[in-house]
Amino acid sequence: MKPIIGIAANERSMIEESEHWLTYTPKNFVTHIQEAGGLPLLLPMGALEDAKAYVQQIDKLLLAGGHDVSPSYYGETLHPLIQSTHPERDAFELALIKEAVAQKKPIFGVCRGMQLINVAFGGSLYQDLSLMEKPTLKHVQLPTPFRFATHDVTINSDSQLGQLLGSRYQVNSFHHQAVKDVAKDFQIIATATDGVVEAIESQAFAAPVLGIQWHPELAAQSRPSEQAIFEFFVHTL
Ligand SMILES: [Mn+2]
């Protein structure tokens, strides 16, 4: 049996200013989970009480990138530098996280997914990287294509991620927010050279919870080590 990987879906309008909306996830998540031997299953936003039934259908939960997390979940109001939020997406994905923990199913978050995990368990975020005290690296690497790694990270060599990727690694970068206070019960397991948190994990629950700040789905086609992250998630986490 292939592991069924539930992917929390995003929404967008079909064309600018259109009233016709699409439920979607970036196809790279689908293809790289398939290549890793998993069976991706999209979970559209819906009623919070349905999160339980959705999670019952899956073996593991993937939280993808996209919107900024609504700062009300970590006790702040919207800073002028915050970008697009989607309160319904926040609420539904938080319900999925709660259910995945209750049903003892592993969770993997990418970019926003990692940030939402941190907030879900009591952590906070920088609403924009310019609000960090230290000068930062270029964490929005555009216009450099995302298949290229652009900054270094140091990964805790005791962690499974460190054993998979090595303690010195390079990643792509496409985020304007970052973890501020890490959630209780979580450990920072990867950090950029400017101090930005690039991966967190928790072993405090019945199933592991892992989040990474970079985008393996945008690099896995050309970098085997990034595809290895999907294989680790599908088969090991
Ligand atoms: Mn980065």
Side-chain angles (χ1 to χ4, degrees):
M1 284 282 285
K2 291 181 176 179
I4 299 173
I5 308 298
I7 307 174
N10 198 354
E11 292 179 343
R12 52 170 288 189
S13 57
M14 195 158 62
I15 50 173
E16 201 72 22
E17 302 300 324
S18 164
E19 290 179 12
H20 299 286
W21 283 69
L22 307 175
T23 286
Y24 78 100
T25 199
K27 189 178 176 184
N28 282 2
F29 282 117
V30 170
T31 53
H32 291 300
I33 287 168
Q34 288 170 332
E35 284 170 14
L39 206 59
L41 187 64
L42 249 64
L43 311 179
M45 286 168 224
L48 302 188
E49 57 266 31
D50 291 338
K52 181 175 184 177
Y54 276 121
V55 171
Q56 285 170 342
Q57 305 300 315
I58 64 173
D59 294 304
K60 303 183 181 192
L61 175 64
L62 173 67
L63 301 165
H67 301 89
D68 289 354
V69 176
S70 300
S72 59
Y73 287 109
Y74 50 97
E76 293 185 15
T77 52
L78 269 70
H79 187 278
L81 292 173
I82 199 166
Q83 297 177 6
S84 176
T85 59
H86 190 323
E88 291 172 8
R89 183 181 182 193
D90 292 336
F92 191 66
E93 291 186 348
L94 288 167
L96 290 174
I97 291 170
K98 192 175 166 193
E99 269 304 322
V101 170
Q103 297 184 32
K104 303 176 182 171
K105 295 183 176 173
I107 305 172
F108 178 42
V110 170
C111 195
R112 163 199 162 82
M114 179 190 91
Q115 295 170 358
L116 185 69
I117 285 168
N118 187 52
V119 170
F121 292 96
S124 64
L125 305 176
Y126 290 104
Q127 293 194 42
D128 188 81
L129 279 164
S130 64
L131 302 171
M132 285 186 73
E133 281 176 29
K134 285 180 278 187
T136 67
L137 298 168
K138 184 173 169 67
H139 288 279
V140 179
Q141 73 180 49
L142 289 170
T144 304
F146 296 118
R147 68 179 183 276
F148 297 121
T150 56
H151 73 66
D152 289 345
V153 290
T154 302
I155 308 178
N156 182 341
S157 51
D158 295 333
S159 68
Q160 287 181 301
L161 196 68
Q163 285 160 20
L164 184 72
L165 302 174
S167 58
R168 296 289 297 181
Y169 190 64
Q170 284 200 314
V171 300
N172 61 15
S173 203
F174 187 32
H175 59 107
H176 84 103
Q177 296 195 320
V179 166
K180 184 159 58 177
D181 297 318
V182 70
K184 184 175 161 290
D185 296 327
F186 277 74
Q187 293 81 44
I188 296 169
I189 57 165
T191 314
T193 48
D194 59 359
V196 166
V197 174
E198 292 276 342
I200 60 172
E201 71 169 8
S202 179
Q203 306 288 345
F205 307 99
V209 185
L210 173 67
I212 63 176
Q213 182 59 74
W214 69 93
H215 286 271
E217 81 282 8
L218 300 179
Q221 195 173 352
S222 53
R223 284 185 83 194
S225 58
E226 296 287 290
Q227 178 60 23
I229 297 170
F230 286 102
E231 283 158 18
F232 169 76
F233 170 46
V234 169
H235 298 292
T236 307
L237 188 70

